Amino acid sequence: MDAVREADLEALLRTRGYRVTRPRRAVWEVLCAAERHLTVEEVSALTQAAGYDVDLASVYRTLDLLEELGLARASRLGEGDANRWELAHPDEHFHLVCSRCGRVDHHIGSLVAQVREHLDTGHGFAVDEVELTVTGRCAECR
Amino acid sequence: MDAVREADLEALLRTRGYRVTRPRRAVWEVLCAAERHLTVEEVSALTQAAGYDVDLASVYRTLDLLEELGLARASRLGEGDANRWELAHPDEHFHLVCSRCGRVDHHIGSLVAQVREHLDTGHGFAVDEVELTVTGRCAECR
DNA sequence: TTGATTGCAAATGCTTTGCAGCCGC
DNA sequence: GCGGCTGCAAAGCATTTGCAATCAA
């Protein structure tokens, strides 16, 4: 779907000494094409739909690997116990979760940067990651 | 331990039509005395230590109830899949998780309020809850 | 060829649930 | 006494793991 990203993955895998395999390509492709956060189950189903047939255990292992490579990101949004996955967005962003319709919007703003700066300068805390999730009602549901 | 909170719980339970029971008192007491976030397992152990002997299932049920009453709050901080619980802090606060020593600090500041205001005014999103978690290295571990 | 990676199935760990008996009201 | 709660044990899910077979390099 996205040839650039496809190439990125392969290059990064090789650089780090990992092998380029069918399951890894499949999961990556699905994740790139996704427009929303996916559960592991959904990723598995989508790889099937794309003709790949990847085992669930491999999806787990691959997503962990992608996270380690900084390419994917897990979060526990919405209902249920299951983790949800998305591409690691280079821009700092946060999530708006509507508690009625369940929609998850991404919001890019300076807020995350503000938090980072505030802590770095005043409190001796070396910020690594900022996770900001806001729940409420979206414009359509309020 | 804290007579005021003890009384608060009982009053609130009765108001809402719930019964005041031994497990509920035990879990509440443990949670009030805790200085950090506790897993369900830890809450169970501490009730035992306090001489209560409460079943794990009841701890789960009680914590869910306390959350519904707005008295407790769950979050998935630190390592592992287990939820961790704390008293619902009336002030808006956020968490600083040190990835080396695992310590979780509470930080009270205007940041959460800023987020709330920003979204309420500009984006038509009715904010319900703001969850902000920052991971990194604390002053001692950096 | 060689060892990383996969698929499969079993295991693990947190959490929920059904239900009989108990206890707060 | 009635009905909500508890304890116990079993079930449910998401996720992990052991291992033999497979496949990228």
Side-chain angles (χ1 to χ4, degrees), chain B residues 18-19 21-22 24 55 58 61:
Chain B
Y18 293 109
R19 294 184 179 175
T21 65
R22 191 179 48 80
R24 286 171 183 169
D55 189 75
S58 296
R61 287 186 280 230

Side-chain angles (χ1 to χ4, degrees), chain B residues 61-73:
Chain B
R61 287 186 280 230
T62 300
L63 287 170
D64 286 346
L65 177 59
L66 291 176
E67 182 170 48
E68 184 195 316
L69 294 173
L71 297 175
R73 205 170 119 72

Side-chain angles (χ1 to χ4, degrees), chain B residues 54-131:
Chain B
V54 179
D55 189 75
L56 249 187
S58 296
V59 175
Y60 276 101
R61 287 186 280 230
T62 300
L63 287 170
D64 286 346
L65 177 59
L66 291 176
E67 182 170 48
E68 184 195 316
L69 294 173
L71 297 175
R73 205 170 119 72
S75 52
R76 277 196 145 93
L77 302 171
E79 302 305 298
D81 311 324
N83 247 314
R84 290 175 178 276
W85 293 82
E86 63 172 331
L87 287 183
H89 208 289
D91 307 321
E92 307 250 40
H93 71 289
F94 58 95
H95 295 128
L96 295 176
V97 183
C98 178
S99 56
R100 174 172 283 178
C101 68
R103 215 174 74 178
V104 178
D105 273 2
H106 290 199
H107 198 87
I108 300 172
S110 57
L111 286 167
V112 175
Q114 280 175 37
V115 173
R116 199 180 273 275
E117 194 177 332
H118 176 68
L119 290 170
D120 261 338
T121 54
H123 302 274
F125 191 93
V127 177
D128 207 55
E129 191 183 337
V130 177
E131 186 162 345

